Amino acid sequence: MAQPAQVSHRLSLAIFSVTVVAVLGIALLASLLVRRNVEKQHAGVTRADIPESEYRNGFWGRYFPRQYDSYRKTGTVEFQSKYGGSADRDMLSEDPRLVVLWAGYGFSKDYRQGRGHAHAVDDVRKTLRTGAPTGDDDGPMPSACWTCKGPGVVGAMKREGIDGFYKGKWARFGKEIVEPVGCADCHDPSTMDLTITRPALVEGLAHLGRPLEKETHQSMRSLTCAQCHVEYYFDKKESGAQHVSFPWHRGTSCEQMEAYYDTIDFADWTHPISKARMLKAQHPDFELFLTGVHAERGLSCAECHMPYQTEGGQKFTSHHAQSPLNNVARTCQVCHREETADLVADVYQRQDRIAQSRIALEKALVRAHVEAGKAWQLGATDTQMAPILLGIRHAQWRWDFAAASHGASFHSPVEVSRIVALGLDAVQQARVELARVLAALGHTTEVEYPSIATKADAQRFIGLDLEKINAEKKLFLDQVVPKWLLWAREHQLIESEPVGASKL
Amino acid sequence: MAQPAQVSHRLSLAIFSVTVVAVLGIALLASLLVRRNVEKQHAGVTRADIPESEYRNGFWGRYFPRQYDSYRKTGTVEFQSKYGGSADRDMLSEDPRLVVLWAGYGFSKDYRQGRGHAHAVDDVRKTLRTGAPTGDDDGPMPSACWTCKGPGVVGAMKREGIDGFYKGKWARFGKEIVEPVGCADCHDPSTMDLTITRPALVEGLAHLGRPLEKETHQSMRSLTCAQCHVEYYFDKKESGAQHVSFPWHRGTSCEQMEAYYDTIDFADWTHPISKARMLKAQHPDFELFLTGVHAERGLSCAECHMPYQTEGGQKFTSHHAQSPLNNVARTCQVCHREETADLVADVYQRQDRIAQSRIALEKALVRAHVEAGKAWQLGATDTQMAPILLGIRHAQWRWDFAAASHGASFHSPVEVSRIVALGLDAVQQARVELARVLAALGHTTEVEYPSIATKADAQRFIGLDLEKINAEKKLFLDQVVPKWLLWAREHQLIESEPVGASKL
């Protein structure tokens, strides 16, 4: 038998050991409880039984309910931001100068703030730019105008071939392209991998020496967006196809794309007042993003526009693509430890400052077009006008490049400022030369600035008959579109009303 | 007596308690060992036996050797940055357009990149702008030109009164102001507190409704710098004093200061070619800093230009005021976890982009001056020219505001871009009007752009006789300055050669 002293000694050792283990154990447990399980299982990236030819977003959504539910929010208007967001703003009413700058081009009829992905099909039908086709071979726009509107394009291209798809009129695919931008535009139905479905991006990346197979998952989180959020033009083929192409042959900067357009002597249209051969910048969002600090730091579009979120312990990518200003906590604040109001104010401050120069550029451009028109009236020659019209073309390209790109003043404020400033230099230089030409033709005073206080004023000034255009559009929306939808439902291309579609 | 079981129970309780205390104690000790003692005693901020009238930096340095040793480094040229740093660059050689823009004003003779604080007195003696005075009442510049050059100003102002100091010629204080920018400019000799010694800042802050007594230690770490690194002008008093003043009466923005100058009809000089009444922007560093994101986040000048450092376990403020690009680890990287090369590249990228618009603005300004000169030659009237000359004044103010401010393109790149863009708009608008005036006077072709490939070309173009100016300056440096130094040494205003003074 052990002596009491020995018992006491052994007991104390045992108690000591148990206590040490207990204290450490409690510490470990506390640590586990406190530590957030940040890298949870990524929800839903598994195989699913989606047929290759299934383009209905709702069908995909049965397998990926969280992604689909978040996507559906792009059909709502939740946020009216000062310069962007998803509201249906009439930009021509807000800034009637645009009507004059785009005179002779569809944008002078109708130009609205872009809305969420789920509105894509609805909005392209409604805009006055697509006109009022009465049949498949009617209307002002080519089939290429569907290219970015929804996943039905993927199927149509597979069936008809790329340039087969790009032939003919826009109305030709009205029955088939009924689901708005969605799942199959960016995902492979068998693996769910991010994938590029639009040939223009693959061709564009080839010009940059970036073969697609070398891209990473992170770069794909921008490239899927870059299928559409880029500058593009319609390359008219001998076959009649209008092939959507990116002018990246020399690079993606404002000047490099312009140099390419100048080399191939491309123009989107000729301005009816100045006779300048114009370029319409689309939305070079990806190109300008590349020049900004967030791209430099390795971010993708998705970090800010489709951030990760957690629901029911599942981490997934929000498919509610939207302005990060609606979601500062999951976007900016992941890196920037500043108050939401301060971060939002910073964005608006950049935009406000750049807006001042952009508006100065717009005003000078309106004057330049009108002064050039006056010079033609007074008998100016092509030789006199050639350098002036080139200046107007280059200046308006810079303005449009900065103005049309969504979020440009935030994505790359110093680059956008540079582009706008050099646009101001170019247009004013053209106006100096115009003043000399006008003087040589006997006009030495200021040319009258048009009275364009409202959109209606400006549209009258350029000779648009909006009453007629609106009446035709109404007929199209009342009579043609319902037939498209009926056909699509019969052929199971939409299950019900497309997500986000408002009453036509 | 207690039973063995009771003994064992008490013992185990005691062991348990000791163990818990020991484990927690070890944990605490480890925590203390691991935690870096970041807020060490601030070195040297103690009372010192410095007489109130002691302005020799070396004398102060005996009590504050670490601060003084770091300050002395401002006398060396360690870093040749692309746009700034402390190198002695001849800006007129690098950009001869400046000569034309400043024609008729001292800066067209000589304009060099600013160097470190320890060079301040040496450089103001050497610049051709201060001329070659032969006696106390001779030379082109007023005594006000000493205001920011060194602590001797504090003593001279105390003795003569503020406007007493501001009377007379620059040469008047050559003997007395011999120590370069240093300790007594920003510190109270009895408490070592940061202090404002220059009246212009106190007056300027009063215009902004910012009484000095409400400032914090952190804001003083910018305001001491703002005594000199600001826009200022000489307010000519009836007494003959040229009172250094900040044009902050309406605010500190580019437009607010311009509006103030316009209201009081102030001009630094009249341009001899265009006859425009010009403004010379000095270095509105503080004003532009206030518009940038680093100011928004509560940083002071000192965070980046005079960061804390540690030597021998003592934390102190480096007084080697310099570009943060020389010291990225202690400046940018305190907040930004990016590689040094990436951070430096970001700064240069902003500067490169803004430089493009700034140079476009310079070129247009040279043309505007020359075209205005032509219009005068052809008989233009004051009425015709008035709006044009106002446009040139406003445009060059914007250019100079952006160009003269040290580090502006980094401190506030979007604001600087805005200012430059609106400068471009203003100068080109003036040129459009000039083209009309010229045409009305019979001249409808381009006015010849001067051939100003080199500084010498440009100085010849504006009629400067540099040979004569240089010869006079040499005489001044050889004969007058040595007498000043002899006097100063005899009166114990310098102990030896001023720190950083190169051989005269």
Side-chain angles (χ1 to χ4, degrees), chain A residues 59-230:
Chain A
F59 189 97
W60 290 56
R62 291 177 208 157
Y63 295 88
F64 305 99
R66 292 189 201 281
Q67 285 85 349
Y68 181 62
D69 287 344
S70 60
Y71 161 76
R72 286 167 51 144
K73 291 184 185 162
T74 66
T76 62
V77 177
E78 290 168 330
F79 181 73
Q80 172 85 40
S81 87
K82 203 164 160 194
Y83 293 95
S86 56
D88 187 22
R89 293 163 53 195
D90 180 350
M91 302 309 291
L92 300 183
S93 290
E94 292 190 19
D95 187 350
R97 288 180 294 264
L98 307 189
V99 173
V100 180
L101 300 187
W102 291 324
Y105 200 58
F107 280 80
S108 62
K109 298 179 198 163
D110 190 14
Y111 176 52
R112 284 163 193 277
Q113 178 68 34
R115 297 201 294 171
H117 282 159
H119 294 284
V121 166
D122 196 24
D123 285 354
V124 77
R125 289 187 199 126
K126 279 190 194 163
T127 179
L128 300 181
R129 298 202 297 277
T130 49
T134 52
D136 280 5
D137 300 323
D138 190 27
M141 304 309 282
S143 60
C145 288
W146 284 114
T147 308
C148 276
K149 299 307 171 189
V153 172
V154 181
M157 274 191 180
K158 267 188 196 150
R159 191 182 66 242
E160 308 219 357
I162 297 170
D163 277 354
F165 174 80
Y166 286 140
K167 275 185 209 160
K169 293 289 189 183
W170 174 75
R172 193 156 77 92
F173 292 102
K175 292 191 289 287
E176 181 172 355
I177 302 169
V178 283
E179 285 279 316
V181 176
C183 315
D185 287 311
C186 303
H187 289 284
D188 182 306
S190 61
T191 62
M192 280 307 125
D193 281 350
L194 290 176
T195 190
I196 302 302
T197 55
R198 301 307 197 271
L201 178 66
V202 182
E203 296 158 14
L205 289 174
H207 294 313
L208 302 178
R210 276 179 71 165
L212 199 58
E213 56 276 18
K214 291 203 177 166
E215 299 295 338
T216 62
H217 179 66
Q218 176 68 356
S219 69
M220 288 296 282
R221 282 157 51 86
S222 290
L223 290 178
T224 41
C225 313
Q227 298 185 93
C228 293
H229 290 269
V230 287

Side-chain angles (χ1 to χ4, degrees), chain A residues 224-245:
Chain A
T224 41
C225 313
Q227 298 185 93
C228 293
H229 290 269
V230 287
E231 164 63 12
Y232 63 85
Y233 72 108
F234 295 161
D235 183 10
K236 285 176 193 161
K237 303 285 188 188
E238 276 178 29
S239 65
Q242 302 219 33
H243 190 103
V244 172
S245 303

Side-chain angles (χ1 to χ4, degrees), chain A residues 4 7-9 11-13 15-16 19-20 23-24 255 291-293 296-297 338 342-343 346 349-354 356-357 360-361 364 367 371 412-415 417-418 420-422 424-426 428-429 431-432 435-437 439-440 443-447, chain B residues 4 7-9 11-13 15-16 19-20 23-24 255 291-293 296-297 338 342-343 346 349-354 356-357 360-361 364 367 371 412-415 417-418 420-422 424-426 428-429 431-432 435-437 439-440 443-447:
Chain A
V7 169
S8 153
H9 183 65
L11 189 67
S12 67
L13 253 177
I15 290 171
F16 176 80
T19 311
V20 168
V23 170
L24 289 175
E255 283 85 353
T291 69
V293 74
E296 291 277 357
R297 296 289 178 265
E338 303 294 338
D342 292 339
L343 291 163
D346 284 347
Q349 193 189 54
R350 284 165 171 76
Q351 292 176 329
D352 283 339
R353 284 178 176 160
I354 293 172
Q356 287 187 38
S357 335
L361 176 49
R367 285 190 183 273
E371 287 161 0
S412 196
V414 185
E415 175 67 356
S417 298
R418 183 189 73 83
V420 171
L422 296 181
L424 262 166
D425 193 40
Q428 296 286 45
Q429 183 58 41
R431 294 186 61 222
V432 170
R436 291 191 195 120
V437 168
H443 187 102
T444 57
T445 56
E446 192 176 341
V447 176
Chain B
V7 168
S8 154
H9 184 65
L11 189 66
S12 66
L13 253 178
I15 289 171
F16 175 79
T19 310
V20 168
V23 170
L24 290 175
E255 283 85 356
T291 69
V293 75
E296 292 276 356
R297 295 289 178 265
E338 303 294 339
D342 292 339
L343 291 163
D346 285 347
Q349 192 189 54
R350 284 166 170 76
Q351 293 176 329
D352 284 338
R353 285 178 175 160
I354 294 172
Q356 287 186 37
S357 336
L361 176 50
R367 285 191 183 273
E371 288 161 0
S412 196
V414 185
E415 174 68 356
S417 298
R418 183 189 73 83
V420 171
L422 296 181
L424 262 165
D425 192 40
Q428 296 286 46
Q429 182 58 39
R431 293 186 60 222
V432 170
R436 291 190 194 121
V437 169
H443 187 101
T444 57
T445 56
E446 192 176 342
V447 177

Side-chain angles (χ1 to χ4, degrees), chain B residues 178-195:
Chain B
V178 284
E179 285 279 317
V181 176
C183 316
D185 288 310
C186 304
H187 289 284
D188 182 307
S190 60
T191 63
M192 280 307 125
D193 282 349
L194 291 175
T195 192

Side-chain angles (χ1 to χ4, degrees), chain B residues 70-274:
Chain B
S70 61
Y71 160 76
R72 286 168 52 147
K73 290 184 187 162
T74 66
T76 62
V77 178
E78 290 169 330
F79 182 71
Q80 172 85 41
S81 87
K82 204 165 159 194
Y83 293 95
S86 56
D88 187 22
R89 292 162 54 195
D90 180 349
M91 302 309 291
L92 300 183
S93 290
E94 292 189 19
D95 186 349
R97 288 180 293 265
L98 307 190
V99 174
V100 181
L101 300 186
W102 289 326
Y105 200 57
F107 281 79
S108 63
K109 298 178 197 165
D110 190 14
Y111 176 53
R112 285 162 194 278
Q113 177 69 33
R115 298 200 293 171
H117 283 158
H119 293 284
V121 166
D122 197 23
D123 285 353
V124 77
R125 288 186 199 129
K126 279 188 194 164
T127 178
L128 299 181
R129 299 201 298 277
T130 50
T134 53
D136 280 5
D137 300 323
D138 190 26
M141 304 308 283
S143 60
C145 288
W146 283 114
T147 309
C148 277
K149 298 307 171 187
V153 172
V154 181
M157 275 190 179
K158 269 189 195 149
R159 193 183 63 241
E160 308 217 356
I162 297 169
D163 278 353
F165 173 80
Y166 285 140
K167 276 184 207 158
K169 293 288 188 181
W170 174 75
R172 193 155 77 91
F173 292 101
K175 291 190 291 286
E176 183 173 353
I177 302 169
V178 284
E179 285 279 317
V181 176
C183 316
D185 288 310
C186 304
H187 289 284
D188 182 307
S190 60
T191 63
M192 280 307 125
D193 282 349
L194 291 175
T195 192
I196 302 301
T197 56
R198 301 308 197 271
L201 178 66
V202 181
E203 295 158 15
L205 289 174
H207 295 312
L208 303 178
R210 277 179 71 164
L212 198 58
E213 56 276 18
K214 291 203 178 165
E215 298 296 338
T216 62
H217 179 66
Q218 177 68 355
S219 70
M220 288 296 281
R221 282 158 51 87
S222 288
L223 290 178
T224 42
C225 313
Q227 299 185 93
C228 293
H229 291 269
V230 288
E231 164 63 12
Y232 63 85
Y233 72 107
F234 294 160
D235 183 10
K236 286 177 192 162
K237 304 286 187 186
E238 275 179 31
S239 64
Q242 302 220 32
H243 191 103
V244 173
S245 303
F246 300 170
W248 294 355
H249 306 66
R250 293 161 176 240
T252 58
S253 78
C254 180
E255 283 85 356
Q256 286 167 328
M257 291 198 249
E258 176 186 71
Y260 172 71
Y261 283 140
D262 284 355
T263 304
I264 64 165
D265 195 26
F266 179 81
D268 283 292
W269 88 106
T270 297
H271 198 284
I273 301 173
S274 65

Side-chain angles (χ1 to χ4, degrees), chain A residues 9-68:
Chain A
H9 183 65
R10 278 183 201 160
L11 189 67
S12 67
L13 253 177
I15 290 171
F16 176 80
S17 306
V18 166
T19 311
V20 168
V21 169
V23 170
L24 289 175
I26 288 164
L28 182 66
L29 189 66
S31 151
L32 284 173
L33 286 172
V34 169
R35 188 198 291 174
R36 290 172 58 204
N37 193 354
V38 279
E39 282 294 336
K40 292 212 175 71
Q41 176 70 25
H42 197 292
V45 181
T46 53
R47 285 185 164 273
D49 297 321
I50 297 172
E52 212 192 305
S53 59
E54 180 56 69
Y55 301 113
R56 286 174 295 183
N57 296 319
F59 189 97
W60 290 56
R62 291 177 208 157
Y63 295 88
F64 305 99
R66 292 189 201 281
Q67 285 85 349
Y68 181 62

